[in-house]
Amino acid sequence: MKPLGATYLGDGRCLFNVWAPRAKSLAVSLLEPREKTVWLARDERGYFSGTVEGAGPQSLYYYVLDGGKVRPDPASRYQPEGVHGPSQVVDLQSFRWSDHGWRGLPREKLVFYELHVGTFTPEGTFEAVIPFLDELKELGVTALQLMPVAQFPGSRNWGYDGVYPFAAQNTYGGPWGLQRLVDACHRRGLAVFLDVVYNHLGPEGNYLPDFAPYFTENYRTPWGAAVNFDGPGSDEVRRYFIENALYWVRDLHIDGLRLDAVHAITDKSAIPFLAELTGEVHREAVRLGRQVYLIAESDLNDARLIWPRELGGYGLDAQWCDDFHHALHALLTGERRGYYQDFGELYHLARAFRNGFVYTGQYSAYRQRRHGGPIGPCRPLQFVVFAQNHDQVGNRACGERLSSLVDFEALKLAAALVILSPFLPLIFMGEEYGETAPFLYFTSHTDPRLGEAVRLGRRREFSSFNWAEEVPDPQDEETFLRSRLRRELRQQGRHRALYELYRELLRLRREHPAFSDPRWENMEVTALGARGALVLERWGGGARAGIISSFRREPSCAVLPLSPGRWRKILDTAEERWLGGGSSVPAEVFSAGEVELALPPLACILLERMEEG
């Protein structure tokens, strides 16, 4: 089967292949190195293909449909002039990779660091990230999670308005910049995950409907017509997105894909697209001899996404767990607007620890119906948890980070609960030192009407939260500039102490034997609502750890369940080392099944049980 797009064959020859059943004729119009038009042959399924002489790397081209419409390549690998400009032939095979021994990371070692390439550094490029990789590794991060990089309009965007799924954003450095970043990560033992969007394309520069039935009016999404995954022509639509996933894995050496908002993919076929995608990617990983993961984002609390195929699941490797975030956020901030009205009690957080999801079929006041389903055969390492991410920060009216909503003690408590959980932790860029710059929603659409529609849409989005603040204009460049990290904060006072705490927590997660076997059977959690405390015990490798979290705003005394034995304190976020107000929890405690402790406010205490004798 011929690959989609422009495949450079060497010696100035290029194979072009595009699915365009809506066209009767189609030609490649070369603009450089010299103008030339070549008509392509059509097959019975609507693919136009042909080998063109004089088309090498750097050649610019358009497709001409029926002698009239001039369009970029739907499978373009590079858009040097943006979403409306010509596509460019690239030769990615000439890149000299240095990661030949790289096989990926085992699941239990994954610690994600989500970043937006455009705001992570002042330069806003792939290569500008490279100087910070050693710092991230020293922190304890093992995997970069890049927000979408597929070509979007202009130079400022979260990435979810991408319209060329195969083309790495030109202002970020294109596919070559991404190759260099991935190679640099692998040299340091860091994996790279990429956020991909298969539920919609952005509104500007989306020319796919001119070529083929990529979309269907049978279903609607928040962005308009749904991607056609189960109607006439859907076999080829599936192939387009599956080939895209394989492209990132094979040609860019990406270690995993985060599939955006899969709840917006409507597919009633007997073999769902997500299951087919998972099978193809896993087979490619076996062929390459590498570990490759697929991680879903979904708000359905449907664990079948990560159930094994033989048990009726889709077979994905993991999924993001918003419930954990919501339970923790509501406790720390006291917010009860929007979906936070379903959370706010300690037992919600305890349920998140026990199940991943809080709602597994119970009634949701926010949704006014039952929500979620049973977790079945899932394991903790199939859930990605976080105290912050791009959605939970950026989808606030003013993009406030947790550091702007809670005090320093609460930030430390949040860090400990995420990192010492049995789940896969994710850190949002800057979180590790308490970044205070907001992460706002920003765009740079060239169509003024579209820009105004985005402004109005953002205001409507917050209606259920009743946020009265004026929503910053996404089209204003200042909105983007305000969202850049201010990394100099890391060296200052509490920011420095928080960074050191993150590093210590990640070291403990990595090295302490009690955290070596993250299974439901190897943990026990107790919520003590009246006492404002949560006790989590984890064990493995012949060791046992007790994680005691106090959510009260003032010092308190509580009798807590704790397995019998002598316990040694190994971390206390209230201690002066972490710029806390001091702690009265002793260095050693004895439990006969319960222990009475004087707990500092908003603190996390980590104990390890001492061996007898």
Side-chain angles (χ1 to χ4, degrees), residues 502-513:
Y502 267 83
R503 184 167 64 171
E504 177 63 10
L505 288 167
L506 288 169
R507 184 193 68 79
L508 288 166
R509 177 185 175 91
R510 182 174 62 248
E511 297 179 3
H512 199 286

Side-chain angles (χ1 to χ4, degrees), residues 191-207:
V192 181
F193 285 63
L194 179 63
D195 197 336
V196 294
V197 184
Y198 294 159
N199 53 55
H200 76 287
L201 269 70
E204 182 178 353
N206 178 9
Y207 297 115

Side-chain angles (χ1 to χ4, degrees), residues 19 37 59 120 145 194 226 273 309 313 340 386 430 484 523 551:
W19 183 52
T37 299
S59 292
F120 184 71
Q145 168 72 69
L194 179 63
F273 163 71
R309 295 282 295 275
Y340 292 128
F386 32 80
R484 283 180 172 170
M523 59 170 280
F551 286 85

Side-chain angles (χ1 to χ4, degrees), residues 167-180:
Q169 175 70 11
N170 62 333
T171 57
Y172 289 174
W176 308 280
L178 182 54
Q179 283 182 317
R180 286 188 279 271

Side-chain angles (χ1 to χ4, degrees), residues 18 41 46 89 127 143 239 257 268 280 296 372 564 570:
V18 58
V89 177
E127 292 192 72
R239 179 200 170 185
L257 302 174
K268 298 180 180 179
E280 292 288 348
I570 56 177

Side-chain angles (χ1 to χ4, degrees), residues 149-225:
V149 303
Q151 185 71 43
F152 52 75
S155 60
R156 307 184 304 275
N157 201 286
W158 276 16
Y160 300 95
D161 288 321
V163 287
Y164 293 92
F166 291 80
Q169 175 70 11
N170 62 333
T171 57
Y172 289 174
W176 308 280
L178 182 54
Q179 283 182 317
R180 286 188 279 271
L181 172 58
V182 173
D183 197 50
C185 285
H186 289 173
R187 285 201 303 271
R188 293 164 172 81
L190 298 171
V192 181
F193 285 63
L194 179 63
D195 197 336
V196 294
V197 184
Y198 294 159
N199 53 55
H200 76 287
L201 269 70
E204 182 178 353
N206 178 9
Y207 297 115
L208 286 185
D210 292 332
F211 289 85
Y214 281 94
F215 303 92
T216 175
E217 293 292 340
N218 291 337
Y219 318 115
R220 301 293 294 177
T221 74
W223 311 282

Side-chain angles (χ1 to χ4, degrees), residues 327 331 341-355 357-359 362-363 525-529 533-534:
L331 281 170
Q341 67 186 271
D342 281 339
F343 301 89
E345 302 294 336
L346 267 173
Y347 74 84
H348 289 130
L349 186 57
R351 278 190 61 82
F353 272 108
R354 293 191 194 104
N355 302 295
F357 298 137
V358 174
Y359 285 85
Q362 299 90 338
Y363 181 80
V525 61
T526 305
L528 302 158
L534 186 99

